[in-house]
Structure formats: structure tokens, C-alpha cells
Amino acid sequence: MAKIIGSVTTSHVPAIGGAIAKNRQSDAYWKPFFDGFPPVRRWVDEARPDVAVVIYNDHGLNFFLDKMPTFAVGAAAEYRSTDEGWGIPTMPPFAGELDLSWHLIESLVGEEFDITTCQEMVVDHAFTLPMALLWPDQRWPVKVVPVCINTVQFPLPSAARCFRLGEAIGRAVRSWDSDGKVLIVGTGGLSHQLDGQRAGFINKDFDLQFIESLIADPKWATRYSIHELVRLTGTQGVELVMWLAARGALGEAVRKVHANYHIPISNTAAGLVALEAAA
Ligand code: DHB
Ligand code: FE
């Protein structure tokens, strides 16, 4: 059966794509952010995952407000990035792991998660940038399965439900008839609000407590409703539900590989956490 090696959860601010394209990783503004990644890359390279299940939120590229699934899973042979208007260069296409996609879909529907199955799917910055941060040469050594959670149009699924989705993803991956090694990637957050009166809102205390909770008390943030999370972390801070889903997939015991937190990148508190799943 397949094995989950662990998770990497990270912010996905579009400006990261510009910094990569312009080679700004060592600039004073960017260095504290990019410096978080080498220890995580070393761990990922040593663990040599075959597949990445990438839990992220689409921002209007693949789904728009007219049709907005709460949960969607990719089942395509290939996923491409296209122009979203941020000026980020498109990346080489990502090969899909179709067998795991269909196993995941069967398993999640079997566990009463009503998901949308996407046999065609384009992926936005929330998917591509974390991949480019993990594999800067953009020669993807993993096949992928995208999992999308709606954090764009209300009503949003609760933090508790997203955690349970992650637990179900974990059960599905561990029952996949394959000797593959799977990395769970979760992207979004941490606290940020891009618009309105509270634009620029960041809650460092909450973010640090949230990061800490992922290790030994991973359900800590599931006590909050989505509206409480908006108040505590900003309108877009609710993207942290992707971190909860990724953590849910790992099971009880984890080892912290590395964590980094830096404010701000753009209007966003940029976090990075890598966790190894217990054997
Ligand atoms: C920013 C952050 C996001 O999560 C996003 O999807 C778009 C923009 C930002 O901070 O600029
Ligand atoms: Fe986002």
C-alpha cells in the first residue's frame, strides 16, 4: 500500500512568482521568505516522493463564481498553468497520477464527501508556486493529484470539515494499491486580508499558535467557525483550512522537519511548515 511521507504547507502569494522569474530570492525583502525552503527541500529530496497530493484553493482560474464546487479533485492526465493576470510566467505542465485520482475520488465519495470530479483542470498560483518553491528547476519529479477547497465564495466548508476531508484523504492514500510514496502539500494563508477596510490585516499571535498547534494539537483551529476565522485571520486568512486538511491526512504523530514565518510578503503573513508522518 502507498505511504504518506509527510506534508509541506506554505503560503502562495502571487508575487513569489515574480520574485522567482526575476531571481530576487536573495533581495533583502525576499530572503527571509526564500531562506525557509532549503531545509524543506533537503528533506523532500531525501524522502523522494512519487506523488504530490496538492490541496489548494482556486482563485477564479478553473472555477468562477457561476460554478463553485466546495471540494473538487483533479482526474486529468495533465494539468497546465495559464495566465491569471498576475504576470507570472507559466510553468511546465504537471503530470497527473490518474490511478490515485480515481482511487481518491472513489474513496472520498464512499465516505460521503460530495466532490466534483475534474477531468480537465487548469491550475493557478496556489498550485504552481508551492511546486516551484519545492522544485526550483521546475522539472517535476512527482506526479500530482490536485484537491481544491472553496475559500473564495461563501458559504465555505468549516475548518472541522476540512480537517475531516484531510483525514479521509489520508485513509484513501494509505489504502491505494501502490508502493508509491506520497507527499501532501497544502497551500494558502496564513493571516491576510487583501481588500476592504481591514486590508493588510495580519494576526501574528494567531498564526504562531496555529503553527504550533499543527504538531501536537492539530484540531485546535477546528473550534473556530469560518466567520470567526475571518475575524481572527482576515478574509483570505481562511485559506488556512488547506493546512488543516493537509495535517488531517498525516494521522496522529508527526515530527516537525522545519518551520518558517515571515511578515509580510505582499499583504500576507507567509508561513512554511514541513511535517514528517510517523512510520
Ligand atoms: C495575495 C495572497 C494570496 O493568497 C492570493 O491568493 C493572492 C494575493 C497577496 O498577498 O498579494
Ligand atoms: Fe490565495
Side-chain angles (χ1 to χ4, degrees), residues 12-14 59 86 125 189 192 194 236 239 265-268:
H12 59 223
V13 178
H59 299 72
W86 296 106
H125 66 277
H192 63 303
L194 300 178
Q236 284 77 28
E239 288 179 347
I265 292 296
S266 175
N267 265 348
T268 298

Side-chain angles (χ1 to χ4, degrees), residues 84-116:
E84 304 169 60
W86 296 106
I88 306 170
T90 56
M91 292 186 195
F94 301 86
E97 176 44 83
L98 269 173
D99 195 50
L100 179 57
S101 282
W102 285 112
H103 175 72
L104 190 58
I105 289 162
E106 292 265 359
S107 185
L108 290 177
V109 173
E111 292 207 36
E112 302 180 352
F113 282 92
D114 303 316
I115 53 166
T116 299

Side-chain angles (χ1 to χ4, degrees), residues 32-234:
F33 171 76
F34 281 97
D35 275 358
F37 285 87
V40 174
R41 284 200 288 267
R42 276 196 290 279
W43 170 70
V44 171
D45 290 346
E46 261 171 43
R48 297 168 62 91
D50 305 291
V51 185
V53 172
V54 184
I55 306 171
Y56 73 108
N57 61 296
D58 182 85
H59 299 72
L61 182 70
N62 191 67
F63 306 114
F64 201 60
L65 302 182
D66 58 338
K67 299 180 194 73
M68 183 58 70
T70 300
F71 301 124
V73 177
E78 188 179 87
Y79 305 91
R80 289 182 176 271
S81 62
T82 64
D83 183 17
E84 304 169 60
W86 296 106
I88 306 170
T90 56
M91 292 186 195
F94 301 86
E97 176 44 83
L98 269 173
D99 195 50
L100 179 57
S101 282
W102 285 112
H103 175 72
L104 190 58
I105 289 162
E106 292 265 359
S107 185
L108 290 177
V109 173
E111 292 207 36
E112 302 180 352
F113 282 92
D114 303 316
I115 53 166
T116 299
T117 301
C118 303
Q119 298 191 56
E120 283 181 10
M121 193 173 194
V122 284
V123 287
D124 76 0
H125 66 277
F127 183 103
T128 61
L129 293 176
M131 293 293 286
L133 289 164
L134 289 178
W135 292 287
D137 64 5
Q138 297 184 17
R139 292 160 56 151
W140 321 119
V142 288
K143 290 184 171 181
V144 300
V145 177
V147 176
C148 240
I149 300 179
N150 168 35
T151 56
V152 169
Q153 173 158 268
F154 279 75
L156 313 186
S158 71
R161 178 118 177 105
C162 293
F163 191 90
R164 289 197 296 273
L165 176 77
E167 290 178 312
I169 290 171
R171 284 189 289 273
V173 172
R174 282 187 288 268
S175 67
W176 179 37
D177 187 10
S178 153
D179 53 15
K181 287 188 282 183
V182 178
L183 175 69
I184 310 289
V185 178
T187 97
L190 287 176
S191 59
H192 63 303
Q193 171 140 354
L194 300 178
D195 45 18
Q197 282 184 354
R198 291 204 311 162
F201 177 79
I202 283 175
N203 186 345
K204 182 178 176 183
D205 289 342
F206 180 95
D207 288 341
L208 294 179
Q209 193 168 355
F210 176 63
I211 286 176
E212 197 54 44
S213 75
L214 290 173
I215 295 145
D217 186 17
K219 289 185 185 165
W220 172 75
T222 66
R223 72 190 61 196
Y224 296 113
S225 71
I226 285 293
H227 288 87
E228 285 169 331
L229 286 174
V230 167
R231 190 165 45 73
L232 285 165
T233 71

